[in-house]
Amino acid sequence: MNNKTSSFLWNLRQLSTSVPKSRVRQYSLGFRTPKNAHSNQKLRNLLLNDFHDRMQTSIRYLFQGPFILKSGYSGFQTKDLSNVTVFKVDRLLCSRSLSVDSTHSLVSVGTSDNGLKKVNFHHEASGEDMFTKGTKPTPVTFRKLSEECNSLCDVLDIYSKAPTFPSSNYLSAMWTIAKRMSDDQKHFEKQLMFNHPAFNQLCEQTIREAKIMHYDHLLFSLHAIVKLGVPQNTLLVQTLLRFIQERINECDERCLSILSTILEAMKPCKNVHVLRAGLRILVDQQVWKIERVFTLQTVMKYIGKDTPVALKRKLEMKALKELDRFSVLNSQRMFEVLAAMNHRSVILLNECSKMVLDNIHGCPFKILISILQSCKDLRYQNLDLFKGIADYVATTFEIWKLKQVLFLLLLFENFGFRHVGLMDLFMKKIVEDPSFLCLRSIVSILHVYSSLNHFCDSQDREFLEIMASALTGCLHHISSENLLNAICSFCVINYFPLAPVNQLLQKNVINELLTSGDIERNVHKLHIVDTCLKLDDTPYQKAIDISLPQQPSPLPRPNAEITEALTSLLGGEGYFSKDVQLPHNYHIDFEIRMDTNRSQVLSFSDIDVTSATNMQRVAVLCVPRSVYCLDSNHPRGFFAVKMRHLNALGFHVILVNKWELEKLKMEDAVTFLKTKIYSVEALPSADANLQSTY
């Protein structure tokens, strides 16, 4: 026994001198210092692993454990150190010594000239211990543990009785079990886990095994630890990160997928940044060797939006090469993957859209939402895809909740996509069953229908009355901003509910909107409401009493091609005016003055003409695609309001689509404008005038 004691002390002395003092630092925790702790911090990190075979002993720990936190973290409690049972190692052999960085003190591992060998951890127990019977613990898998256990502590209880190698099985099983729990139950179970006496032991074993366990087990361990809520600034997490960095060349295709997932779940820090850079280098080298589509998509999803463009394109080319092997799920997932990588591959999106549409029936709501949200993030518009999804939802309308349909309509509104059939069905359902309406849904529905300028003649009035009645019932608890949003939507629709409008026009409500929240946005909407109350046919004789801040005037837009075409058509610039600013902050690109039949253009220089009663003012608006609903000539809400108000100001509005005019030659552009400006009856005489100008 004296020889064994001497051998132990010699090994302890050798280990204590192998780590320089200057490189060891531990976070200050505010823990109670155990009276029997050695003053040298290095000794607290040493593992006793060179015992005589089958020797049973119990000693006092020389360190607090690897689950070490920075000071100030209040999520965990500490206890005085006590006598704990030492794990006996049959033979813990490792060819590499464990390095220590300047931030965390790491646990050293025994070495041997024989290289890496399998490690089996056993548990010293009472006289009834298995070692006294000459048996070894039965290996366990995380699947078996997760099936047999119902809580995190159940796993730790099994571990404390007979710990086995590797520790990743226990950690993975705990995370698998936690995934099955509700949020509240998960939070409670995690607190029990952190207070369980075996959890520190499991963390210590994980550090000891970090350099000898298989690389995928090491990754599984870190993934489970992070998901279980162990803080990232702990010695355990940072140690595993460093080992993963050192052994990154052992990363195969499966490990690429796991590592990508881990990095996405972790907060930025130095070790994470270095590891992410290493992952990108590794992916760049191995991208053409990746065989599984799932692995490829996982790497693409989590590699980061700031990935170099060259690597993004290489991953895109690899995905295009694998298109023939894409399953339906792969095609559905590709939208989310590209959005996460912030890479807009139109070719890849188009091909995946076709497969999604071919297999749209039975597609879960969550997948549809994910596809549309990803299209929004990528600014990708595919009319066939949107129409296919809307047709499917309209066909199976009865199986969907109204809340789900509203969510889809909100996403469609972001694209300016107006599906008449689906919107009519939704409107009809609201009329039949208004009990669905709450404050949030009222504001959202009004926003969608006003933004897309959608009306259904057969039930439009009844729908608006139901929406107004529902809004009136919410006035006692509605916020000023929600009230403004709802009233602004009603004004765009040209409907003015009495009680809500009266509440909005109160001075205290207006003052609140002008002094809190998104003031610029509030001012813009208040101007819209004020203009509608003044120009539309409403029962209100007054508008907003309070003076609103002045909005900036729209900047003039260059329209050189249209100016040249109008000059050729009308006979000179004296027959039209450019960049006209009107009351209520409205702007028109060109104004033309004609007779009431729109058969003759009048000169601006003729003073008598300006006072004539038989004059028609014509507003020519050069508009982009964005003022219309997607792939249609149906004007969207605010632009429809502008057209309505220009009519109220006495203008005949002519819309010139810029993208259509830009494709035409000058002669064709002149002919196009002629058909727009002159009335059908006046076209023959206009043709004669046009021929005389050439």
Side-chain angles (χ1 to χ4, degrees):
M1 186 63 186
N2 292 334
N3 291 336
K4 295 177 182 178
T5 305
S6 301
S7 176
F8 163 71
L9 292 176
W10 185 86
N11 285 329
L12 189 63
R13 207 175 296 115
Q14 293 298 316
L15 288 171
S16 64
T17 58
S18 64
V19 182
K21 292 183 180 180
S22 60
R23 298 192 65 191
V24 178
R25 181 167 70 87
Q26 182 173 328
Y27 289 117
S28 174
L29 307 175
F31 289 174
R32 288 177 289 178
T33 305
K35 296 180 181 179
N36 63 325
H38 196 283
S39 59
N40 189 340
Q41 181 61 41
K42 295 189 296 296
L43 297 182
R44 305 166 70 89
N45 295 325
L46 297 178
L47 297 176
L48 306 179
N49 59 2
D50 218 5
F51 289 95
H52 187 269
D53 192 31
R54 298 190 183 278
M55 180 181 70
Q56 301 181 19
T57 184
S58 180
I59 68 169
R60 189 173 298 274
Y61 256 35
L62 298 178
F63 61 101
Q64 290 177 334
F67 193 59
I68 297 176
L69 307 177
K70 286 184 178 180
S71 60
Y73 188 85
S74 59
F76 305 89
Q77 299 176 350
T78 60
K79 301 179 179 179
D80 288 331
L81 298 180
S82 59
N83 288 335
V84 295
T85 304
V86 174
F87 297 112
K88 186 184 75 61
V89 185
D90 282 351
R91 184 171 292 180
L92 177 60
L93 302 175
C94 183
S95 61
R96 294 170 291 188
S97 61
L98 209 153
S99 63
V100 182
D101 66 6
S102 60
T103 306
H104 303 277
S105 59
L106 303 180
V107 180
S108 60
V109 181
T111 60
S112 172
D113 296 334
N114 297 329
L116 294 179
K117 291 189 178 181
K118 183 177 180 180
V119 180
N120 291 313
F121 290 94
H122 305 287
H123 183 64
E124 299 277 337
S126 63
E128 297 298 325
D129 194 276
M130 64 184 68
F131 291 114
T132 63
K133 302 177 181 179
T135 60
K136 295 184 179 181
T138 304
V140 295
T141 64
F142 86 92
R143 296 185 188 278
K144 182 178 179 182
L145 284 171
S146 60
E147 291 172 359
E148 294 179 351
C149 300
N150 296 319
S151 69
L152 307 185
C153 291
D154 289 347
V155 179
L156 292 174
D157 290 340
I158 293 176
Y159 167 79
S160 63
K161 293 176 182 177
T164 60
F165 177 86
S167 56
S168 60
N169 285 335
Y170 300 97
L171 294 168
S172 297
M174 292 167 70
W175 169 233
T176 303
I177 294 170
K179 287 191 293 185
R180 302 196 295 252
M181 299 177 179
S182 64
D183 291 340
D184 291 340
Q185 184 183 5
K186 193 182 300 181
H187 177 76
F188 178 73
E189 285 288 338
K190 285 181 180 179
Q191 295 302 315
L192 295 178
M193 176 192 73
F194 291 134
N195 292 326
H196 197 287
F199 184 64
N200 251 15
Q201 299 174 24
L202 179 59
C203 295
E204 292 156 11
Q205 180 176 339
T206 303
I207 285 185
R208 291 199 300 271
E209 297 174 355
K211 216 169 187 181
I212 60 173
M213 70 170 66
H214 289 298
Y215 194 69
D216 57 344
H217 288 176
L218 181 60
L219 293 174
F220 281 131
S221 297
L222 180 58
H223 179 259
I225 287 167
V226 171
K227 290 295 187 179
L228 286 171
V230 176
Q232 195 168 308
N233 59 351
T234 56
L235 176 63
L236 173 64
V237 174
Q238 295 298 324
T239 300
L240 295 184
L241 279 173
R242 290 295 301 272
F243 276 123
I244 291 172
Q245 291 176 31
E246 292 177 7
R247 300 175 56 186
I248 196 169
N249 286 333
E250 301 175 32
C251 194
D252 57 13
E253 179 177 329
R254 183 189 185 201
C255 294
L256 278 178
S257 177
I258 306 169
L259 182 56
S260 302
T261 307
I262 292 173
L263 292 176
E264 177 63 20
M266 301 193 73
K267 299 177 182 177
C269 71
K270 183 177 179 180
N271 280 333
V272 170
H273 176 74
V274 172
L275 192 55
R276 189 181 294 276
L279 173 66
R280 289 171 180 170
I281 294 174
L282 203 62
V283 171
D284 188 61
Q285 295 173 349
Q286 298 186 9
V287 60
W288 302 113
K289 300 177 182 178
I290 296 176
E291 297 180 356
R292 298 176 65 235
V293 176
F294 177 81
T295 301
L296 175 64
Q297 290 187 326
T298 302
V299 171
M300 292 174 69
K301 182 177 180 180
Y302 295 128
I303 200 167
K305 294 185 177 182
D306 57 341
T307 302
V309 177
L311 180 54
K312 289 183 180 181
R313 289 176 177 169
K314 185 178 287 189
L315 289 167
E316 175 192 357
M317 294 302 296
K318 174 64 176 178
L320 288 171
K321 184 180 178 181
E322 301 292 334
L323 264 178
D324 293 340
R325 298 174 53 215
F326 271 29
S327 65
V328 176
L329 184 59
N330 293 144
S331 298
Q332 294 170 346
R333 191 172 180 236
M334 201 69 230
F335 292 85
E336 182 185 4
V337 167
L338 291 173
M341 194 171 62
N342 193 26
H343 185 65
R344 185 172 178 265
S345 171
V346 177
I347 298 176
L348 197 53
L349 290 169
N350 287 342
E351 293 301 318
C352 291
S353 296
K354 294 176 183 177
M355 184 171 289
V356 168
L357 289 176
D358 291 341
N359 300 273
I360 191 69
H361 293 285
C363 185
F365 172 77
K366 185 178 179 180
I367 297 295
L368 297 178
I369 292 297
S370 175
I371 290 173
L372 293 176
Q373 185 62 53
S374 299
C375 290
K376 175 188 172 184
D377 296 339
L378 293 169
R379 301 176 300 281
Y380 171 72
Q381 294 183 342
N382 186 324
L383 183 64
D384 292 334
L385 176 64
F386 300 158
K387 189 175 183 300
I389 293 176
D391 287 341
Y392 168 61
V393 175
T395 304
T396 58
F397 189 83
E398 295 302 324
I399 70 172
W400 303 95
K401 297 178 181 178
L402 288 180
K403 183 179 180 180
Q404 294 175 322
V405 179
L406 177 57
F407 203 178
L408 286 169
L409 291 177
L410 283 167
L411 287 172
F412 284 143
E413 184 274 332
N414 283 310
F415 303 107
F417 175 65
R418 172 177 173 258
H419 191 277
V420 177
L422 182 59
M423 297 188 73
D424 286 349
L425 276 174
F426 186 80
M427 185 186 293
K428 180 181 179 182
K429 190 67 175 179
I430 293 297
V431 172
E432 293 175 353
D433 182 20
S435 60
F436 161 74
L437 298 175
C438 62
L439 177 58
R440 186 175 181 180
S441 62
I442 291 169
V443 176
S444 298
I445 292 170
L446 289 173
H447 169 72
V448 170
Y449 279 78
S450 63
S451 175
L452 297 177
N453 189 29
H454 181 81
F455 300 98
C456 181
D457 296 335
S458 60
Q459 50 196 10
D460 174 37
R461 194 72 185 180
E462 187 178 2
F463 170 74
L464 293 176
E465 288 175 354
I466 289 174
M467 296 300 297
S469 176
L471 179 62
T472 302
C474 300
L475 290 181
H476 63 284
H477 64 271
I478 193 172
S479 67
S480 297
E481 283 202 18
N482 278 334
L483 179 61
L484 175 61
N485 292 336
I487 296 302
C488 185
S489 297
F490 270 123
C491 290
V492 171
I493 301 173
N494 199 15
Y495 186 81
F496 303 90
L498 183 62
V501 172
N502 283 336
Q503 180 164 323
L504 177 65
L505 296 181
Q506 293 177 7
K507 289 187 178 181
N508 62 324
V509 176
I510 301 295
N511 286 327
E512 181 182 349
L513 291 169
L514 294 178
T515 56
S516 63
D518 190 342
I519 298 177
E520 184 178 352
R521 178 173 168 273
N522 291 343
V523 169
H524 174 66
K525 291 200 170 186
L526 284 171
H527 273 287
I528 294 174
V529 173
D530 185 54
T531 302
C532 289
L533 292 176
K534 290 177 179 177
L535 297 182
D536 289 327
D537 185 14
T538 70
Y540 296 91
Q541 300 300 320
K542 65 172 185 176
I544 298 176
D545 293 334
I546 299 176
S547 178
L548 299 175
Q550 194 67 29
Q551 286 188 294
S553 300
L555 296 175
R557 293 167 294 189
N559 294 293
E561 298 86 354
I562 301 179
T563 300
E564 184 180 353
L566 284 175
T567 301
S568 300
L569 174 63
L570 304 179
E573 292 191 3
Y575 289 94
F576 63 91
S577 179
K578 296 187 295 183
D579 297 322
V580 181
Q581 190 66 36
L582 300 175
H584 307 291
N585 208 37
Y586 281 131
H587 169 271
I588 59 177
D589 298 296
F590 300 95
E591 179 185 355
I592 303 173
R593 294 178 178 176
M594 308 179 71
D595 63 347
T596 54
N597 295 325
R598 288 179 36 233
S599 60
Q600 181 180 1
V601 179
L602 306 177
S603 173
F604 275 75
S605 60
D606 193 337
I607 299 177
D608 295 335
V609 170
T610 60
S611 60
T613 58
N614 60 343
M615 182 186 69
Q616 173 65 63
R617 300 176 72 183
V618 177
V620 179
L621 304 180
C622 306
V623 296
R625 291 180 185 270
S626 58
V627 303
Y628 299 111
C629 292
L630 184 63
D631 199 48
S632 74
N633 290 324
H634 184 78
R636 298 194 63 174
F638 288 131
F639 185 66
V641 172
K642 179 178 180 178
M643 294 171 60
R644 188 171 77 227
H645 289 169
L646 288 178
N647 289 332
L649 292 172
F651 284 91
H652 174 75
V653 179
I654 294 176
L655 303 181
V656 177
N657 298 331
K658 293 181 67 174
W659 71 93
E660 293 179 352
L661 199 68
E662 289 170 354
K663 299 176 183 178
L664 303 177
K665 297 179 180 179
M666 182 54 60
E667 183 177 350
D668 296 330
V670 171
T671 303
F672 174 79
L673 289 174
K674 177 193 67 176
T675 58
K676 288 278 189 179
I677 294 172
Y678 290 97
S679 62
V680 177
E681 296 80 6
L683 282 177
S685 59
D687 287 335
N689 294 334
L690 182 60
Q691 291 175 2
S692 64
T693 60
Y694 285 102

